[in-house]
């Protein structure tokens, strides 16, 4: 009996989910939990947005003071960015957003590139308006995907995997930046170097944790069992509606998610990597073209290092998308390596316009496209 019990546990731990099963879930639907609703516009949400954007605006307005230059000198370099250059930069912005749809489509089987584009720009716009807006952006993505008929567990799997893929590559980017300037005669500031190394270490730890979660189902089962035993009663009381008081069975849920994440990763690792690396690469091309336009005359390796390390600042939750902090960090690195303060300020300002502000009207178009798109009747607006 004991032997048969162990075999049953092993079979449960090593459960596999085929990709056809994941896609079929979207057609049959699931009934566990309440459907998401459109977040309400509250005074607290508005206040957070105003304070976050206000702080970012103060940081940017004070840039000439910090950089010991003037808006007149900065304006001279801004005037070098003509209409043709603006069109080129906007094209790179759209291309960067488009290539990321490969990541979303691979993480969410059955999601077309058109719908992935709507999802991408809409979520980015929300994240760029609110401090720590990533959570609200994820909620909006959940709402859209439910409205298109995607099953809840497929949505959670897809958002987790695509989010981890983003984090892994973005925190590894600073290490690539350090490698790019390892032979440079210009020393990287020690604080920047330490920050980049820590970013790389965090990325390595995340990668190890992700691999362990996929390859050690017994550990996943143990963790889920511990949560059920120690906190199951509390979780049951916190559930809402008809499910209140009923156990959640975290162990089964984690094992199911592990199996789905394993299937998604094995099938979609290449397009997901292509999407993230492609977007980061196009963003750097945009950064390089901006700096060239405003006459920041530095080697490409130095520009890449400044771009790569400044991308870490986008994770700061104080302002929307790290706005202000990202620009200050990029400026500091560029000037340390010999760029003109006025040209560097103009460059980071233009780059911010195309990678942050431009996504807001594009996101509004994305919300309009979602609003007019056919719905599966799963979500309520």
């Amino acid at each position: 009996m004991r032997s048969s019990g162990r075999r049953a546990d092993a079979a449960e731990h090593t459960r596999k989910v085929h990709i056809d099963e994941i896609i079929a879930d979207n057609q049959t639907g699931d009934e566990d939990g309440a459907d998401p609703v459109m977040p309400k516009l509250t005074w607290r949400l508005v206040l957070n947005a105003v304070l976050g954007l206000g702080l970012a605006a103060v940081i940017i307005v004070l840039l000439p003071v910090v950089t010991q230059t003037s808006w007149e000198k900065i304006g001279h370099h801004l005037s070098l960015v003509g209409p043709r250059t603006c069109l080129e930069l906007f094209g790179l912005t759209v291309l960067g957003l488009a290539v990321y749809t490969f990541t979303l489509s691979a993480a969410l089987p059955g999601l077309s590139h058109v719908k992935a584009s709507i999802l991408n720009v809409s979520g980015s716009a929300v994240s760029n308006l609110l401090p720590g807006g990533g959570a609200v952006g994820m909620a909006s993505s959940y709402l859209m995907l439910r409205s298109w008929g995607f099953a809840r567990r497929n949505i959670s799997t897809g958002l987790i995997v695509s989010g981890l893929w983003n984090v892994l590559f973005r925190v590894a980017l600073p290490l690539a930046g350090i490698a790019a300037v390892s032979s440079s005669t210009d020393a990287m500031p020690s604080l920047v170097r330490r920050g980049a190394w820590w970013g790389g270490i965090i990325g390595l730890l995340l990668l190890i944790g992700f691999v362990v979660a996929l390859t050690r189902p017994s550990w996943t089962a143990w963790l889920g069992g511990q949560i059920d035993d120690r906190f199951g009663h509390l979780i049951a009381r916190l559930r809402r509606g008809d499910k209140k008081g009923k156990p959640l069975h975290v162990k089964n849920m984690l094992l199911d998610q592990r199996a789905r994440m394993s299937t998604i990763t094995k099938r979609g690792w290449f397009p997901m990597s292509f999407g993230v690396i492609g977007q980061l690469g196009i963003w750097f091309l945009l950064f390089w073209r901006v700096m060239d336009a405003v006459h920041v005359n530095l080697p490409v390796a130095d520009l890449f290092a400044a771009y790569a390390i400044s991308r870490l600042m986008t994770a700061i939750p104080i302002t929307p998308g790290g706005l202000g902090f990202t620009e200050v960090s990029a400026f500091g690195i560029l000037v340390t390596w010999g760029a003109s303060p006025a040209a560097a300020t103009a460059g980071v300002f233009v780059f911010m316009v195309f990678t942050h502000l431009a996504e807001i009207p594009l996101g509004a178009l994305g919300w309009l496209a979602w609003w007019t798109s056919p719905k599966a009747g799963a979500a309520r607006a």
Side-chain angles (χ1 to χ4, degrees), residues 163-179:
L164 282 172
W165 230 252
N166 253 299
V167 171
L168 289 173
F169 281 101
R170 288 178 188 275
V171 297
L173 195 62
L175 292 182
I178 290 178

Side-chain angles (χ1 to χ4, degrees), residues 207-353:
L207 179 61
I208 292 172
F210 187 60
V211 171
V212 167
L214 293 181
T215 59
R216 298 287 182 180
S218 58
W219 292 13
T220 305
W222 177 84
L223 176 62
Q226 291 295 311
I227 295 174
D228 279 333
D229 294 341
R230 298 176 185 274
F231 306 104
H233 62 286
L234 178 61
I235 296 173
R237 286 204 301 266
L238 292 175
R239 299 185 76 183
R240 299 178 180 179
D242 297 337
K243 303 295 181 180
K244 187 175 181 63
K246 296 181 180 179
L248 185 60
H249 301 299
V250 175
K251 176 183 174 180
N252 295 339
M253 183 179 68
L254 289 181
L255 285 171
D256 180 69
Q257 282 290 354
R258 188 212 68 82
R260 290 170 181 276
M261 289 169 62
S262 178
T263 299
I264 294 296
T265 303
K266 289 177 182 177
R267 175 184 180 271
W269 69 268
F270 181 78
M272 286 193 296
S273 301
F274 174 77
V276 176
I277 295 173
Q279 185 181 62
L280 292 174
I282 292 167
W283 270 190
F284 169 64
L285 180 58
L286 176 64
F287 185 82
W288 173 55
R289 292 298 298 133
V290 166
M291 295 304 160
D292 181 64
V294 299
H295 292 183
V296 172
N297 300 313
L298 290 177
V300 174
D302 289 358
L303 291 177
F304 176 74
Y307 159 78
I309 295 169
S310 68
R311 290 294 85 193
L312 273 180
M313 299 297 105
T314 59
I316 293 179
I318 300 174
T319 60
L323 189 63
F325 294 97
T326 304
E327 287 69 40
V328 169
S329 65
F331 167 84
I333 297 170
L334 292 171
V335 172
T336 298
W337 286 333
S340 158
T345 305
V348 297
F349 181 80
V350 174
F351 185 69
M352 176 268 295
V353 168

